Amino acid sequence: MKFLAKGFLVAALACCTVPAFSQDYNGPQSLPTDYLTPAFHAGRRQALRDMMPANSVAVIFAYPERIFSKDVNYVYHANPDLYYFSGYKEPDAVLLVFKEVQADGDSSYNELIFVRHRDPAQEQWTGRRLGVAGVKAQLGFKRVYNSEEFAKFPIDFKKFKTVIYDAIPEEVGEGSGAGSLKELVTTFKTKADIKETDKRLLNDLGIIGQYATPKNIDRIMAFIKPRLDGEAYKNDPLIQELVAKPDSATLMDVKAKIAANPSGLALFTKYTTDLRGVKQPEELVLLKKSVEISSFAHAEAMRAVTPKMSERELEGIMLYVHKKYGAEDEGYPPIVGAGGNGCILHYEENSATEVKNQLVLMDVGAEYHGYSADVTRTFPANGKFTEEQKAIYQIVYDAQEEVFKLCKDGIPYGDLETKTREVLSSRLIALGIIKDAKEVGKYYPHGVSHHLGLDVHDKGGYGVPLKAGMVITVEPGIYIPAGSPCDKKWWNIGVRIEDDVLIGKTGGTLLSIDAPRKWQDVEKTAAEKSIFDGGKFPELK
Ligand code: GLY
Ligand code: MN
Ligand code: MN
């Protein structure tokens, strides 16, 4: 399409009988009415401003567009932070939030947004753009400019005590002209005097500031080691302090210094982690919808599955249900793995042509208005668990039940992992699959939980106590690939059960309750009729 677009436009320009495009594609159409409101986004900007130190500005860029194939891009996905603070979902944009009101002649502002300009000719090919007027009218910003104007806009970034910014996108896409992301980023780096090498270093310092403990000096040193030869690392006094004396006391000293003088990048991470970790009521409406849609889809896939189905067909059923209920996208590439494929944690090929009489692990979650669900169900394609499958399934289920009891305000996040390992290891020992609790990682190689929201692995912080309003996953799993050092009867059993939980003051709310979870309910659902039953497609010629 893109190639044709270029060719067609050349033809159109060459022929004076073809009028230039002047249509406004913003004509009446039926659209969802439950988007986040301008007031929500304005409230989030104010919450950010409230956290920022005196004399500071926060700068948030759009994500780059990415190539799918030659002249075709992937469907664009907005930077969740930019979306959270503005509602803007297009590329080539930058948002600035100022702590203090900035004087500007007779007028003033405390936020600016630079957005893609309207271009009716291009919009006929690649879709509608909001443009300056649309951003004012639909997103409620007062000071909106075309991105081309960022370079000459009189902002002296050096006058601010703190410039707060996220990791600046390195891949800034193909376009390098005025108003492109590349130009926005280059302008910002020049004006704010940000060095190319700073980003990785700042990121590492942020990680030390967040995760260093008196016990993990060796891990921290191993983590930064590959970059110690870099110029920025050689010139950084904190890194050099660690290199000169890599012990726990130095690490704690460096951590305290980082905390006392955090970088703009560390501040951005901290503020967005704190803000996005606890969901606002408006966000919960969308997140619950996303999880509800995904849960229906899982139940429908259980009803529809037959041993003759392919992994991809099951994926298609899930995606159809998502679209049916209005989800724009999936929060991550769908994972549909039968038998041994279910033991590959992020299996994305979904290429087995028949799922056969095996367990099928489906980790598939919709994205609704930006909010991602993350739900996994594991079920027998023929509707009946074998004794071995049931035994493993029950262990995972019981671990989940134990972890659910911890899902409340004030519980340290780490307790969820400790409990999971305790349950899984003791039960695997009882079945003779492992001999020692230390071996549990062989069959349970991932973590039990992460935050969920605009990112599937959302911001929210991990070394912290759970807080009411957080939404997290609870996802224990056991994976026993063929060749594992245990009785062959367990081979090719991969079970993950993943649910999404809203943390409350006194307990959690299971958001994915509509996806059957007990093995008895899974079997019962599998025996039910599906709306996909009986549809007969002709054979391809
Ligand atoms: N679907 C990715 C995960 O469970 O983390
Ligand atoms: Mn997950
Ligand atoms: Mn998942």
Side-chain angles (χ1 to χ4, degrees):
M1 275 301 269
K2 244 174 124 194
F3 175 75
L4 278 176
K6 284 171 191 162
F8 179 72
L9 284 178
V10 170
L13 290 173
C15 173
C16 49
T17 58
V18 179
F21 290 107
S22 59
Q23 292 93 335
D24 185 343
Y25 291 99
N26 290 329
Q29 44 174 340
S30 77
L31 287 173
T33 53
D34 58 347
Y35 291 120
L36 292 168
T37 61
F40 166 83
H41 298 295
R44 299 295 79 208
R45 293 195 294 282
Q46 188 54 43
L48 172 65
R49 202 174 278 120
D50 291 344
M51 295 172 119
M52 287 162 55
N55 196 10
S56 65
V57 56
V59 183
I60 306 166
F61 290 96
Y63 271 177
E65 295 186 273
R66 293 178 204 274
I67 293 171
F68 172 73
S69 164
K70 199 158 136 287
D71 56 355
V72 177
N73 284 340
Y74 281 99
V75 172
Y76 184 69
H77 194 282
N79 172 357
D81 282 316
L82 180 62
Y83 176 66
Y84 183 78
F85 289 116
S86 70
Y88 193 67
K89 293 183 283 190
E90 298 176 32
D92 298 330
V94 59
L95 169 69
L96 284 78
V97 177
F98 299 87
K99 174 74 177 182
E100 291 88 6
V101 172
Q102 307 293 302
D104 181 18
D106 294 340
S107 146
S108 62
Y109 56 86
N110 65 359
E111 53 199 26
L112 299 170
I113 187 164
F114 295 83
V115 302
R116 267 200 318 184
H117 67 270
R118 293 290 313 273
D119 181 344
Q122 195 57 35
E123 285 177 51
Q124 186 174 25
W125 288 97
T126 51
R128 299 175 176 88
R129 301 177 178 191
L130 277 183
V132 169
V135 171
K136 284 182 182 170
Q138 292 185 37
L139 302 180
F141 280 86
K142 294 202 173 60
R143 291 291 205 107
V144 188
Y145 299 89
N146 284 327
S147 296
E148 287 80 354
E149 295 176 62
F150 183 60
K152 58 178 186 330
F153 199 93
I155 306 171
D156 179 7
F157 284 101
K158 292 190 193 128
K159 84 169 195 199
F160 293 98
K161 183 153 183 288
T162 315
V163 178
I164 299 160
Y165 58 95
D166 192 7
I168 298 173
E170 272 167 1
E171 265 180 79
V172 282
E174 249 189 307
S176 57
S180 64
L181 180 61
K182 188 165 192 165
E183 194 211 38
L184 296 175
V185 164
T186 310
T187 300
F188 170 64
K189 280 182 169 172
T190 309
K191 285 189 174 184
D193 196 21
I194 291 177
K195 302 278 184 306
E196 209 62 52
T197 44
D198 283 356
K199 184 181 132 186
R200 193 60 239 209
L201 173 66
L202 291 178
N203 198 41
D204 284 355
L205 290 172
I207 283 168
I208 296 171
Q210 195 174 352
Y211 295 108
T213 70
K215 289 191 186 153
N216 65 6
I217 177 70
D218 292 341
R219 279 179 66 195
I220 294 277
M221 291 312 288
F223 174 71
I224 59 174
K225 191 165 176 243
R227 295 176 289 283
L228 288 178
D229 283 344
E231 224 29 57
Y233 287 71
K234 282 190 191 153
N235 291 328
D236 185 75
L238 295 178
I239 295 286
Q240 289 314 309
E241 189 181 330
L242 268 180
V243 170
K245 202 160 174 285
D247 60 20
S248 296
T250 316
L251 184 61
M252 288 303 99
D253 183 55
V254 166
K255 180 175 173 144
K257 286 176 180 159
I258 293 169
N261 190 17
S263 68
L265 182 61
L267 287 175
F268 185 82
T269 306
K270 178 171 171 24
Y271 298 155
T272 50
T273 298
D274 289 354
L275 289 173
R276 284 179 48 192
V278 175
K279 271 61 187 177
Q280 301 298 306
E282 296 92 325
E283 296 185 275
L284 286 175
V285 171
L286 300 181
L287 194 42
K288 283 179 179 172
K289 179 147 182 179
S290 176
V291 177
E292 187 183 12
I293 292 171
S294 307
S295 304
F296 284 175
H298 275 282
E300 201 54 49
M302 281 178 202
R303 292 186 193 101
V305 68
T306 69
K308 288 261 169 231
M309 267 187 188
S310 69
E311 291 174 344
R312 208 173 298 294
E313 193 175 352
L314 275 168
E315 176 188 349
I317 287 172
M318 297 285 293
L319 269 48
Y320 178 79
V321 179
H322 293 177
K323 306 290 179 219
K324 173 74 190 161
Y325 290 106
E328 292 91 343
D329 217 329
E330 281 60 58
Y332 51 93
I335 297 165
V336 182
N341 291 342
C343 299
I344 302 170
L345 303 180
H346 281 180
Y347 175 72
E348 296 172 2
E349 292 158 50
N350 305 347
S351 54
T353 53
E354 287 187 7
V355 294
K356 303 194 170 144
N357 287 319
Q358 307 185 92
L359 274 186
V360 183
L361 186 155
M362 299 191 52
D363 183 347
V364 189
E367 185 186 292
Y368 187 80
H369 296 4
Y371 288 84
S372 175
D374 190 5
V375 181
T376 307
R377 286 295 182 265
T378 309
F379 47 90
N382 60 10
K384 283 272 171 225
F385 286 95
T386 65
E387 284 312 308
E388 286 76 22
Q389 291 168 350
K390 197 186 292 176
I392 299 297
Y393 190 91
Q394 194 60 40
I395 295 178
V396 176
Y397 179 93
D398 291 344
Q400 236 196 349
E401 287 286 305
E402 288 302 313
V403 173
F404 287 154
K405 293 180 195 157
L406 301 174
C407 288
K408 57 183 171 205
D409 193 279
I411 298 284
Y413 211 139
D415 286 11
L416 277 54
E417 196 58 56
T418 309
K419 176 56 74 181
T420 305
R421 288 176 175 266
E422 193 183 298
V423 177
L424 296 183
S425 58
S426 64
R427 300 283 291 276
L428 286 173
I429 290 172
L431 288 181
I433 294 176
I434 58 173
K435 294 199 171 54
D436 190 294
K438 286 199 202 87
E439 295 171 64
V440 70
K442 213 184 273 172
Y443 299 113
Y444 166 60
H446 57 76
V448 75
S449 179
H450 54 80
H451 291 270
L452 186 67
L454 287 171
D455 289 299
V456 62
H457 300 152
D458 208 30
K459 294 188 171 185
Y462 291 92
V464 293
L466 294 173
K467 260 194 212 159
M470 286 178 166
V471 177
I472 63 167
T473 64
V474 177
E475 50 175 310
I478 295 178
Y479 314 89
I480 314 180
S484 297
C486 61
D487 192 319
K488 272 168 108 155
K489 68 180 182 179
W490 305 112
W491 288 4
N492 289 325
I493 296 179
V495 175
R496 176 161 68 254
I497 317 176
E498 177 170 24
D499 283 88
D500 303 337
V501 178
L502 168 62
I503 303 299
K505 279 275 170 220
T506 55
T509 306
L510 186 59
L511 303 182
S512 36
I513 195 151
D514 293 315
R517 203 167 62 81
K518 277 191 176 136
W519 71 260
Q520 296 89 337
D521 292 339
V522 170
E523 288 195 350
K524 189 166 151 273
T525 308
E528 289 169 2
K529 265 190 85 55
S530 164
I531 51 171
F532 291 96
D533 286 348
K536 260 206 166 326
F537 285 78
E539 294 295 322
L540 290 179
K541 290 206 180 92

